[in-house]
Amino acid sequence: MKLEVDGVGKLFQRGKKEIQAVKNVSLTVSEGEFVSIIGHSGSGKSTLLNLISGQLLPTTGKILWNGESIVKKRDYEAAFLRNTLIGHIPQGMGLLSNLTVFDNLQLPFYLSKREGNPTERAYELLRRLGIENLKDSYPNSLSGGEMRRVSIARALINKPKILLADEPTSDLDPENTGIIIRLFQEISREGTGVLMVTHDLSTIGAADRVYQMSHGELVLKCKENITYFHDKEDAG
Amino acid sequence: MTIVAFVLVAGSLLSSSMKNGLNSTKQRLGADLMVVPVGYDEGVEGILLKGEPSYFYLDSSIAEEIGNVEGVQTYTTQFFLTSLNQDCCDIPVQFIGYDPDTDFLIKPWISEVYSDDLKDGELIIGSDIVADDNQQLKFFNEKYHVAARLAETGTGLDQAVYGNMNTLMHLFQAAKKAGLAFIDNIDPQQSVSCILIRIRDGYSAEEVTHNIRASVNGVQVIKTKNMITTTAENLGGFISFIYVFAALFVLVAIFMLSIVFSVMANERKREFAILRALGASGKKISKIVLTETLILSGAGAALGTILAGGIILSFNTYIGDRLGLPYLQPAPWIIAIFMGGGFLITVAIGPIAMIHTIARLNKREVYITLREGE
């Protein structure tokens, strides 16, 4: 399973003003890779993730999932792809407040027609993420770190090929940040690709590849140029 | 939704009952012309349409004169009497005495519920009147046997009591014995209250009316068609108002609901954005929203339909009395159609009002743009 982004650009129209949120971005992410994109707020990171997941259509360029263009797919086809191949951890907490943790976790399973029962997989993820005791809790009673772990567990319910994480450690303390990043490392070692966008420099040491995004443009960075951490064990 | 369903169902039942009452009046009137004493046309209208008891008399010889007028095919006479709301009588009612030998209006109607000839001293009562356990009613301190009860007509005739002329004469004497002064100067054997006429083929109501006026003094000729036409015009205006009001109400409801749904969708943009991010298509989200709308519409429609049906049908008699117009509840299957139709139209209003919002939800990039404000 390989994600290819080739020369992708996105232009937004705001009244008479045109905003080039993403400019000629190219990158690849394969299964088992941990790729990080670092950049300030407003650099176009989240827009790039939404393009990759098919929620936005690019103005220029191609986005290929295993050689198939997501741009040419109809909305319901792109949604199905997003539901089955991608695990999306949206910015912010992203949990539905009227559902319990357990129900939030299983939600992606029920968004597409599929056979089976997600209960067993849900219990497995609760154990793995260390949130078994929160099964019947509601999001408004959880801490930031707990909510983020629920969000990650939910993204993994359908066994995706690639995980897209949008600012997964924002608003978290260093301890919880470390827990999340170690999780991503484990997930990538198990064969799931991880593409994380963040402005938190302390997390990028864990990634296999780091890009920097600024004013919509993407540039590959050497990890040695990152000043905070030199190896994965120090992340978090 | 509840209010919309209530307005639609109640409006349908009211207008249908009024139309039914009018048709029933047309059927029950039967005669082409009615001859009454001068100035008593409103009295007849009150009896027939509003159930307001009244009495007035003509010399019975006038009936024979009218029978000889050109254009009159057949005629029959009726004798009116009223009871009072006093100890002498169980209830205040309109008595209508008919001549079994010449009658062509009441006998066919009575034969629907009573196959024998009505005996002297026996009464047939309108649908709104109830006899005691022994099937008797007391009038002017005398007990009379009730032979049968007529089906509802939705007219003032539902509050009338019918008997042959001999029975009416007996009632008349009983009333006199009971000391009722309002009928002192009348010889019942020589009096009638109204003469009902069927016109011969080839003659118009206007022609025969003219002929009667030319031949007979001291009488007023009522064209029953005019009576019905006036009532129909009044009803028609009222029914049109109901339809227009209901239609406008539905349009306003759709407009208001579309705004409400749009605001609700906006309030839920975060929820929809999460669902989209997790892999829900625009169609899926539309389906979720539509299902919620149908549940809300259905619940509101059911409540409104049940309330409207319950109130209108339970207070059927009261409504008819208050309106003062012919009012007859339609058949159960028609009621079921109106209630079912009102329910379905109301349920449909929800999704119709939702169309614009669903179109917006189906746009691929709406979720991202919706969230831009966050």
Side-chain angles (χ1 to χ4, degrees), chain A residues 10 14 50 54-57 70 73 75-76 78-79 82-83 88 94-96 107 110-111 154, chain B residues 270-271 273-284 288 362 364-365 367-369 371-372:
Chain A
K10 180 64 181 176
R14 288 289 167 269
N50 288 325
Q55 289 182 85
L56 281 175
L57 290 174
I70 197 171
K73 290 199 182 297
D75 177 62
Y76 70 89
R82 195 159 58 246
N83 182 251
H88 198 137
L95 301 179
L96 296 183
L107 181 59
Y110 292 110
L111 291 178
R154 184 182 63 185
Chain B
R270 180 181 165 276
E271 179 189 337
I274 291 168
L275 291 173
R276 286 288 272 167
L278 298 178
S281 61
K283 231 184 201 174
K284 179 84 179 177
I288 291 169
N362 264 306
R364 196 158 175 168
E365 303 193 6
Y367 302 96
I368 309 301
T369 52
R371 293 199 61 196
E372 277 176 357

Side-chain angles (χ1 to χ4, degrees), chain B residues 86 88-89 139-141 171-181:
Chain B
Q86 286 186 352
C88 66
C89 308
F139 295 113
F140 311 116
N141 301 318
L171 276 162
F172 188 94
Q173 295 304 331
K176 206 167 179 178
K177 209 168 148 189
L180 293 174

Side-chain angles (χ1 to χ4, degrees), chain B residues 188-247:
Chain B
Q189 303 293 343
Q190 302 297 324
S191 303
V192 294
S193 295
C194 71
I195 303 155
L196 300 124
I197 297 166
R198 272 223 177 112
I199 297 172
R200 199 179 291 279
D201 285 342
Y203 286 85
S204 68
E206 285 72 27
E207 269 183 278
V208 179
T209 301
H210 172 77
N211 293 344
I212 291 171
R213 283 186 186 141
S215 313
V216 184
N217 293 323
V219 298
Q220 189 160 353
V221 184
I222 303 167
K223 298 188 202 79
T224 54
K225 203 174 170 185
N226 284 0
M227 195 193 301
I228 294 167
T229 303
T230 307
T231 307
E233 279 171 5
N234 291 339
L235 270 179
F238 191 49
I239 290 170
S240 296
F241 170 76
I242 291 175
Y243 286 153
V244 169
F245 177 77

Side-chain angles (χ1 to χ4, degrees), chain B residues 16-313:
Chain B
S16 175
S17 295
M18 286 190 277
K19 279 189 203 166
N20 231 22
L22 186 64
N23 288 336
S24 181
T25 305
K26 282 182 197 171
Q27 281 174 6
R28 294 303 168 206
L29 280 178
D32 298 312
L33 298 173
M34 293 174 76
V35 175
V36 297
V38 173
Y40 284 94
D41 53 331
E42 282 185 17
V44 166
E45 213 173 286
I47 293 169
L48 292 173
L49 302 179
K50 300 173 191 174
E52 293 168 351
S54 189
Y55 62 95
F56 38 83
Y57 305 105
L58 290 164
D59 196 286
S60 59
S61 63
I62 292 175
E64 275 180 66
E65 286 182 54
I66 282 173
N68 294 327
V69 167
E70 188 186 347
V72 173
Q73 181 183 6
T74 185
Y75 73 91
T76 187
T77 59
Q78 289 182 351
F79 187 90
F80 296 159
L81 199 59
T82 64
S83 69
L84 300 167
N85 195 11
Q86 286 186 352
D87 290 343
C88 66
C89 308
D90 282 339
I91 36 173
V93 295
Q94 176 75 51
F95 294 109
I96 298 179
Y98 68 97
D99 181 356
D101 295 329
T102 60
D103 179 76
F104 52 82
L105 293 164
I106 295 176
K107 269 171 64 178
W109 187 19
I110 287 176
S111 67
E112 290 172 13
V113 296
Y114 190 67
S115 50
D116 291 340
D117 288 330
L118 204 58
K119 297 181 189 58
D120 293 350
E122 279 189 337
L123 300 172
I124 302 277
I125 56 177
S127 62
D128 287 352
I129 299 172
V130 180
D132 65 18
D133 292 341
N134 297 322
Q135 291 304 305
Q136 289 186 325
L137 282 169
K138 184 180 82 173
F139 295 113
F140 311 116
N141 301 318
E142 298 271 351
K143 290 262 187 185
Y144 294 87
H145 175 68
V146 174
R149 194 145 159 248
L150 295 167
E152 192 181 2
T153 65
T155 68
L157 298 177
D158 292 335
Q159 289 130 44
V161 173
Y162 306 83
N164 61 27
M165 284 300 189
N166 289 335
T167 305
L168 264 288
M169 293 306 119
H170 192 272
L171 276 162
F172 188 94
Q173 295 304 331
K176 206 167 179 178
K177 209 168 148 189
L180 293 174
F182 66 98
I183 52 173
D184 254 353
N185 298 325
I186 299 298
D187 178 1
Q189 303 293 343
Q190 302 297 324
S191 303
V192 294
S193 295
C194 71
I195 303 155
L196 300 124
I197 297 166
R198 272 223 177 112
I199 297 172
R200 199 179 291 279
D201 285 342
Y203 286 85
S204 68
E206 285 72 27
E207 269 183 278
V208 179
T209 301
H210 172 77
N211 293 344
I212 291 171
R213 283 186 186 141
S215 313
V216 184
N217 293 323
V219 298
Q220 189 160 353
V221 184
I222 303 167
K223 298 188 202 79
T224 54
K225 203 174 170 185
N226 284 0
M227 195 193 301
I228 294 167
T229 303
T230 307
T231 307
E233 279 171 5
N234 291 339
L235 270 179
F238 191 49
I239 290 170
S240 296
F241 170 76
I242 291 175
Y243 286 153
V244 169
F245 177 77
L248 282 174
F249 201 86
V250 167
L251 287 173
V252 168
I254 290 174
F255 176 71
M256 297 292 293
L257 282 169
S258 67
I259 295 173
V260 167
F261 287 144
S262 187
V263 168
M264 276 169 62
N266 217 40
E267 291 292 310
R268 295 172 71 185
K269 62 188 179 192
R270 180 181 165 276
E271 179 189 337
F272 295 143
I274 291 168
L275 291 173
R276 286 288 272 167
L278 298 178
S281 61
K283 231 184 201 174
K284 179 84 179 177
I285 303 231
S286 299
K287 203 173 159 186
I288 291 169
V289 165
L290 198 60
T291 304
E292 290 172 357
T293 304
L294 280 170
I295 291 170
L296 280 173
S297 296
L303 183 61
T305 301
I306 290 167
L307 275 174
I311 290 171
I312 299 295
L313 298 176

